[in-house]
Amino acid sequence: MRTYLNFDWQFAKNSDFTNSQVVNIPHSNCILPISYASELDYQFVSYYRNTFNVEAISNVLLTFTAVAHKANVYVNGKFVGTHNCGYTAFTFNITNYVAIGQNLVTVEVDSRENLNFAPFGNVIDYLTYGGMYGEVYLDELNEYYIEDVFVNGYATSSPFNFNAEITLNKYCSKLSLLCRVIEKEEVKLNYLEQVKEKVSVIFAKLDEAKLWDVDNPNLYQLSVELLLDGKVIDSKNLSFGFRDCKFTKEGFFLNGKKIKLRGLNRHQSYAYVGYAMPKRAQEQDAKFLKEELCVNIVRTSHYPQSQYFLDECDRLGLLVFTEIPGWQHIGDKQWQAQSINHVKEMVMQYRNHPSIICYGVRINESFDEDEFYSQTNKVARELDCSRQTAGVRYIANSSDLEDIYSYNDFVFKGDNSPVRKKSKVYSGAKPMLITEFNGHMYPTKSYDNEKHRVEHANRHYKVIKAYYYAKHLAGGIGWCMSDYNTHKQFGSGDGICHHGVADIFRNAKLAGAVYASFGKKPRLEVSSSMDKGEWERGYLDKVYAYTNADSVKLYLNNQFVKEFFAQKDDNMTGKAIVIDDFIGNLIQNNEKFSLSSSNATKKCINYALSHGDSSFPPIILLKMLFVKLREKVSFKKLFEIGQKYATGWGSDSASYKFEAIKDGEVVQTVIKEPVTTVDLAIDVNATTLVHGQTYDVANIRFRAVDQNNNTLPYCFEPLTLKTQGSIELIGDSVVTLLGGMSGTYLKTTSKGNGKLIINAFDKTYTLDFNIE
Ligand code: GAL
């Protein structure tokens, strides 16, 4: 029997629990401001305690899914054990510490960054937070129970091999195991086996099964029942997928099919509460990556992440590169021994996820330490021979101990070759994968000017294109999904690394549109607001359409200007179509000019706009003269025509329409014109929440939008937020739009109804919640 112990913990900064607060898990030991947060605020020792009931004392197991970072656990005042990792789960068998009836658990949580295990020991480019941020549960089990199930479905075609390794707490000859493979409630395989030793290995074959892949993430359930004299005494259920994945030097293959990996790195941190977010918020990040940013892989930089996030990756078909905690620093032998243990915990706890395709067994960007890394590789391979190892490095040709040569490539400065040549990185023959790029090379705030945001987006696009066409690369994983709070040695002085393709609330920036354009749904994002004040001299030379369409048609004030196509060498789904002619045939059509006059006039207009003065060189004056004579118009008239078609300073306000064309059809339209109304677009991931195993959280994102649903990047208005009923805000009640975007989180306080009232732009918006 499993009981969750997530509610009503006493939390205090001292062991005698004076001034304690009642808190629920996931819990962060402090609430941080979004900007200018200090890493000193969460670095202290805190104490959590709670009571729990025990009904029978055969085997009582207590599991903590995440405590940042060192946990000393006491039951009924007696020390039970220590756990040294803020990212992996740990279980203690507390049978000898409990009595039937009420018991007390106390956890001393050390969240200081001077601990002698990863990621600590040197500077770190992310906050490490503190508190008991993962759920806690109690299992009351019989004398015999299932300790672990490791399941693997590997196949590319029939027969579908199925392999489960079931470990019991101890052996008894009267035990048997009943395994069932279930597909959507239909039992596909029924397998009864007499237990012969502590570990049973079951091999079976299915003639028919659906493969798990990125487009059809078919999952099967495995139910394992432990029987004693024919009676079920324990059971475990989990999901798995039939799939075969392999990195080769030709690239990454899933079920025999080559997939270019296109991904982003994720920190599992959130505004205000750091790591302390429950299930729905974790799942939401996987959805954000897969459904909004349309990536096919995520790297869980730089530590194992919430099982809820991984479960959702399994369900969505989002591939995962998971890795051990650490950042650039390798400590002493004791530190290394802990890290080897982290590898063990990571593999043991995550190896059932079909989404995981490799294990990162090096400390991110560390020096070679062959003895240590030979061990980390060995441990990972011993515990799961079905997956390859990788390790993220930044030193070229570093020791080749892993199965995949993965490395961070921060070579791109905007105008050079976007990725390093193979010869500059690695001389071996193993598969290669870029695990980070961009990031600190071009930090970009949602409220940076348009030129900066466009450059950010284009740099992502250019690196994607470079790795897409590089035969030796299995793909690339960009830095990073969203902005994150960091230590003072990093970031923009505001405690934030603005490296995300989305802001801290997961509002996609323009660079997010580059990734989204690789998705299946029709997609068009235009890089400019078409407002003259954004461009030097008021001159717009180029706009990018991030799209998966074939072409983009431009209209000015509803008159067709021109159709634009992707570059010939661009076979990627996501394209950056360059739009660089905003006059097209308009002069020829409207003014009845000849083609040559029209082209000459365009040249004059573009010259005037790009140079910003009217002292024309002889060649332009000659063109003007040519048009004047050919079309029989005065210079004054010519000047008026110029103004009419120029997108430059002081020209009439214009309405630009962009149509994305796919297979001859208009699949999406974007309109950019002067703003007439400002409204608040509210996106909420769920209005029916579940206050059950623990509290629930709804993610809410805000965007200021114009009448055409374009985000208004210079809208910095405040929003005031109020809640009623069974929900409360996590974070501030006044939030400011930054770059036209912001967000908040709402947590449930009980079952019932709740309301969020938002005041913005002299309007009131309400959201109703139903909490089950
Ligand atoms: C990398 C590092 C990341 C992040 C990134 C910023 O070197 O691995 O954690 O700091 O730089 O670009």
Side-chain angles (χ1 to χ4, degrees), residues 503-523:
D503 71 7
I504 207 160
F505 288 106
R506 288 47 168 169
N507 289 296
K509 300 175 191 171
L510 188 60
V514 168
Y515 285 86
S517 70
F518 284 82
K520 295 212 163 79
K521 282 192 232 146
R523 177 80 205 184

Side-chain angles (χ1 to χ4, degrees), residues 422-699:
K422 181 178 183 296
S423 58
K424 298 254 179 240
V425 181
Y426 174 59
S427 50
K430 299 219 177 123
M432 290 176 76
L433 172 71
I434 294 180
T435 32
E436 290 182 35
F437 58 86
N438 280 350
H440 64 278
M441 298 300 285
Y442 206 72
T444 301
K445 302 168 193 77
S446 52
Y447 45 92
D448 273 326
N449 70 22
E450 184 177 294
K451 193 173 172 191
H452 194 101
R453 285 180 279 121
V454 174
E455 174 67 11
H456 183 225
N458 284 342
R459 285 188 185 208
H460 274 275
Y461 173 77
K462 286 174 187 165
V463 179
I464 295 174
K465 192 166 173 184
Y467 71 64
Y468 186 92
Y469 286 103
K471 288 205 177 77
H472 65 286
L473 290 171
I477 307 178
W479 191 262
C480 61
M481 174 186 85
S482 54
D483 295 348
Y484 55 96
N485 289 115
T486 190
H487 285 84
K488 59 178 167 306
Q489 295 88 348
F490 304 93
S492 296
D494 54 359
I496 302 177
C497 266
H498 296 269
H499 295 175
V501 301
D503 71 7
I504 207 160
F505 288 106
R506 288 47 168 169
N507 289 296
K509 300 175 191 171
L510 188 60
V514 168
Y515 285 86
S517 70
F518 284 82
K520 295 212 163 79
K521 282 192 232 146
R523 177 80 205 184
L524 169 65
E525 185 89 25
V526 175
S527 68
S528 179
S529 65
M530 307 303 286
D531 292 309
K532 299 156 196 69
E534 281 299 292
W535 318 314
E536 285 167 49
R537 302 177 301 280
Y539 173 56
L540 175 65
D541 59 344
K542 259 186 218 133
V543 162
Y544 299 88
Y546 304 117
T547 184
N548 46 14
D550 305 326
S551 63
V552 172
K553 281 187 179 167
L554 171 67
Y555 297 79
L556 173 61
N557 297 329
N558 278 327
Q559 285 187 296
F560 175 69
V561 176
K562 196 168 170 178
E563 185 167 3
F564 300 87
F565 297 85
Q567 284 160 343
K568 288 226 162 48
D569 65 345
D570 195 346
N571 292 318
M572 301 195 298
T573 310
K575 298 176 176 22
I577 296 182
V578 178
I579 298 174
D580 54 1
D581 180 358
F582 304 92
I583 301 173
N585 291 336
L586 288 179
I587 300 176
Q588 197 187 357
N589 293 347
N590 293 352
E591 309 302 328
K592 305 285 175 256
F593 277 19
S594 67
L595 181 62
S596 50
S597 296
S598 159
N599 287 341
T601 313
K602 266 163 66 171
K603 286 228 165 73
C604 298
I605 292 172
N606 284 332
Y607 183 89
L609 291 174
S610 61
H611 288 75
D613 65 30
S614 50
S615 52
F616 299 131
I619 176 81
I620 295 295
L621 290 171
L622 267 176
K623 282 191 192 300
M624 286 168 76
L625 189 63
F626 164 78
V627 178
K628 178 180 181 309
L629 297 175
R630 170 102 202 239
E631 305 301 331
K632 300 188 180 53
V633 287
S634 64
F635 277 124
K636 184 167 170 277
K637 176 76 183 159
L638 209 52
F639 184 73
E640 280 167 12
I641 290 173
Q643 274 202 323
K644 189 166 154 193
Y645 295 99
T647 51
W649 195 258
S651 66
D652 284 352
S653 56
S655 174
Y656 292 93
K657 184 164 83 177
F658 302 84
E659 285 179 349
I661 311 290
K662 181 100 194 155
D663 301 326
E665 303 274 310
V666 178
V667 288
Q668 202 184 328
T669 303
V670 168
I671 295 174
K672 303 272 177 146
E673 60 187 5
V675 176
T676 54
T677 62
V678 178
D679 206 348
L680 189 68
I682 305 170
D683 175 77
V684 53
N685 64 334
T687 50
T688 298
L689 303 173
V690 182
H691 195 78
Q693 200 167 294
T694 185
Y695 63 88
D696 200 354
V697 164
N699 294 31

Side-chain angles (χ1 to χ4, degrees), residues 125 302 327-328 364-365 408 410 436 438-440 479 484 499:
D125 174 21
H302 300 298
W327 204 82
Q328 295 191 346
N364 171 65
E365 295 187 330
N408 294 345
F410 287 108
E436 290 182 35
N438 280 350
H440 64 278
W479 191 262
Y484 55 96
H499 295 175

